[in-house]
Amino acid sequence: MRIRSRRGAFARVLLVGLQALLSLLLVEAACRILRPARPSEFVSHPVLNHVLRPLATVEHAEWAASGIPLYRLKANRQSWIHPADVVRRKPPETFRIFYVGDSFVQGYGPAEQSMPARVGAALREPLARRGWRLELVNTGTPSYSPILYHILVTRTLLSYSPDLIVLNVDMTDVFDDFLYRQTAVFDSAGAPLACPAGSPLKGRYVRSPDGLREPGRLEAFMIRVRTYSRFVDIIMNRTARYQGTLNWRVGAPARIGRNAGLPRLFDWCGPEWSDETRALVGQSMSTLAATLRAARAAHVRVVVTAVPHLGHFTGVYSLRPFEEVRRVCEAEGVPYLDSYAGMRGRFGSAGASACYIPGDMHFNPAGNRLWASVQSDLLRQYLETGVGAPATVPGSGASPSRTAAP
């Protein structure tokens, strides 16, 4: 009787297990049919680490709850958010501007509402009055930073005969440069030549709102499983989005004095820097300076700005990153556009927080509009006065030269 009882219990456990397995298979099948996996927005690149998938149209609905309706972004053959492919030989009477930066420059929202697109709309008429057709190209790519800016500018953009490059340094750039140095290849002068994909840090750490962290055992197992399971992938995406909303500490003080050599996302926004932070900032600023020198050698004008985050306006982040970028610009004789000073006086009664996506660091449409107005005001002055380099807004760095503009 005892043997029969054990066999019966085993059979029931086996039946329950098979039913559970069948249920999971049915759920997995339903997920694959109803919510099929979409191709990644990005593809690996042997030189630029990653680029937007050429000619891909990506649908974004993740910010609907924050007031940004579903929108679609389409990349051209060059992996830029531009309505057409850009011909290398510039057409006659065309004034070509390249906007360089990360996700802030690409913009969260329809392409026509991005900061570069709004700047283009503001500059088109002043240029037309002088007989020029404006071609403003948004090359902003999420997670780009000075190493990739340098490679993009020197190996690609300079060959397109730009009249102006507007380079936007973001507050995550020093951290991202740390990641890219794991695979980047540099020349004898220390300038980056290429940055293949596949950082050795990816296998051990996962990205978080504060930088890198080691996943727990269960999370590490789930990360491996999601490669094969659409159901697990959906669950982890939803969980990550929810946790990101809860945990994103906009304006959280940067912590210093750590070991293990792992920087946090906003370390250089802290009022005090550790030796490690100072070294990382120095490396990124050296790369920025190398980019400016390469553009000057090619007789291409550059304007540099830095992206202000909400923490700068609330007084939690320091202004040291802007000071560092300004210092590089002054040393290289390049105009520095102080976006922080320009935006600070234009918020109105709504305040700075009304310009950012709740629970995220990026600008919302109102923020993009305001940021664009600061940049377009400066560049409009450049085009209308005929100076050879843009003047700077109050509190900015280098003074303009007075050679004739096109």
Side-chain angles (χ1 to χ4, degrees):
M1 292 294 294
R2 186 175 300 173
I3 294 176
R4 288 182 180 179
S5 176
R6 289 178 179 176
R7 287 177 177 174
F10 177 77
R12 287 192 294 272
V13 171
L14 181 60
L15 179 61
V16 171
L18 289 173
Q19 290 175 337
L21 179 60
L22 179 60
S23 298
L24 288 174
L25 290 174
L26 290 173
V27 170
E28 178 68 26
C31 289
R32 289 173 180 256
I33 294 172
L34 300 176
R35 297 284 300 278
R38 298 175 181 174
S40 173
E41 182 178 1
F42 307 100
V43 292
S44 297
H45 195 279
V47 176
L48 282 167
N49 190 267
H50 66 281
V51 297
L52 295 174
R53 186 179 294 277
L55 299 178
T57 299
V58 179
E59 185 178 278
H60 293 272
E62 60 267 39
W63 306 113
S66 301
I68 303 177
L70 180 147
Y71 64 94
R72 296 175 178 85
L73 293 179
K74 182 177 181 180
N76 64 8
R77 292 182 187 276
Q78 291 127 327
S79 299
W80 303 329
I81 303 298
H82 194 68
D85 297 335
V86 181
V87 296
R88 194 174 297 272
R89 185 179 179 85
K90 186 173 60 178
E93 300 180 344
T94 295
F95 194 88
R96 178 173 282 175
I97 301 175
F98 282 114
Y99 258 82
V100 176
D102 63 0
S103 52
F104 275 88
V105 172
Q106 177 182 289
Y108 279 25
E112 64 273 13
Q113 296 180 12
S114 68
M115 179 272 292
R118 292 180 182 277
V119 171
L123 299 183
R124 194 157 282 112
E125 182 181 347
L127 268 171
R129 289 199 300 266
R130 300 183 60 179
W132 292 90
R133 170 186 170 271
L134 173 64
E135 184 183 53
L136 190 150
V137 183
N138 183 354
T139 72
T141 308
S143 297
Y144 268 34
S145 63
I147 285 178
L148 301 187
Y149 303 155
H150 181 88
I151 298 171
L152 175 64
V153 169
T154 58
R155 299 196 59 168
T156 301
L157 300 188
L158 292 181
S159 67
Y160 281 79
S161 303
D163 295 287
L164 179 67
I165 293 174
V166 184
L167 200 158
N168 298 259
V169 178
D170 184 35
M171 297 300 104
T172 62
D173 279 1
V174 170
F175 173 82
D176 284 333
D177 266 1
F178 164 78
L179 298 182
Y180 294 134
R181 281 193 198 93
Q182 310 304 313
T183 59
V185 179
F186 299 87
D187 64 17
S188 58
L193 297 172
C195 185
S199 171
L201 297 174
K202 289 184 177 179
R204 181 177 177 183
Y205 302 99
V206 295
R207 187 80 176 252
S208 74
D210 199 32
L212 295 178
R213 63 176 178 81
E214 286 188 285
R217 291 183 179 180
L218 176 60
E219 185 181 10
F221 172 76
M222 296 290 282
I223 290 173
R224 290 193 293 269
V225 171
R226 75 185 301 180
T227 305
Y228 310 99
S229 171
R230 179 60 181 150
F231 171 64
V232 173
D233 185 53
I234 292 173
I235 294 299
M236 292 196 71
N237 283 336
R238 291 296 182 92
T239 302
R241 193 173 303 165
Y242 175 70
Q243 289 295 335
T245 301
L246 288 181
N247 296 336
W248 197 280
R249 300 186 296 273
V250 177
R255 289 165 285 179
I256 62 174
R258 304 166 310 283
N259 53 19
L262 285 179
R264 289 191 168 89
L265 200 58
F266 296 107
D267 273 351
W268 73 320
C269 292
E272 301 294 335
W273 290 353
S274 66
D275 291 340
E276 293 86 353
T277 298
R278 190 173 292 105
L280 293 177
V281 172
Q283 290 173 329
S284 290
M285 294 301 100
S286 293
T287 301
L288 174 62
T291 306
L292 303 182
R293 289 193 293 270
R296 182 170 62 244
H299 307 289
V300 173
R301 302 182 183 96
V302 181
V303 173
V304 180
T305 188
V307 183
H309 286 230
L310 180 58
H312 295 110
F313 298 112
T314 59
V316 180
Y317 283 169
S318 80
L319 304 184
R320 291 189 69 176
F322 305 128
E323 296 165 1
E324 284 297 308
V325 176
R326 185 204 309 271
R327 179 186 59 79
V328 173
C329 290
E330 290 176 344
E332 299 299 329
V334 170
Y336 169 69
L337 164 60
D338 193 340
S339 288
Y340 167 77
M343 295 181 69
R344 183 180 55 188
R346 304 192 190 188
F347 288 123
S349 59
S353 61
C355 289
Y356 292 84
I357 299 174
D360 189 80
M361 64 178 171
H362 292 88
F363 289 123
N364 60 19
N368 279 324
R369 189 182 307 113
L370 181 59
W371 192 26
S373 71
V374 171
Q375 297 211 18
S376 60
D377 284 353
L378 173 119
L379 296 178
R380 189 185 297 111
Q381 177 185 353
Y382 165 47
L383 298 173
E384 291 181 346
T385 60
V387 298
T392 53
V393 298
S396 297
S399 299
S401 60
R402 290 286 170 180
T403 55

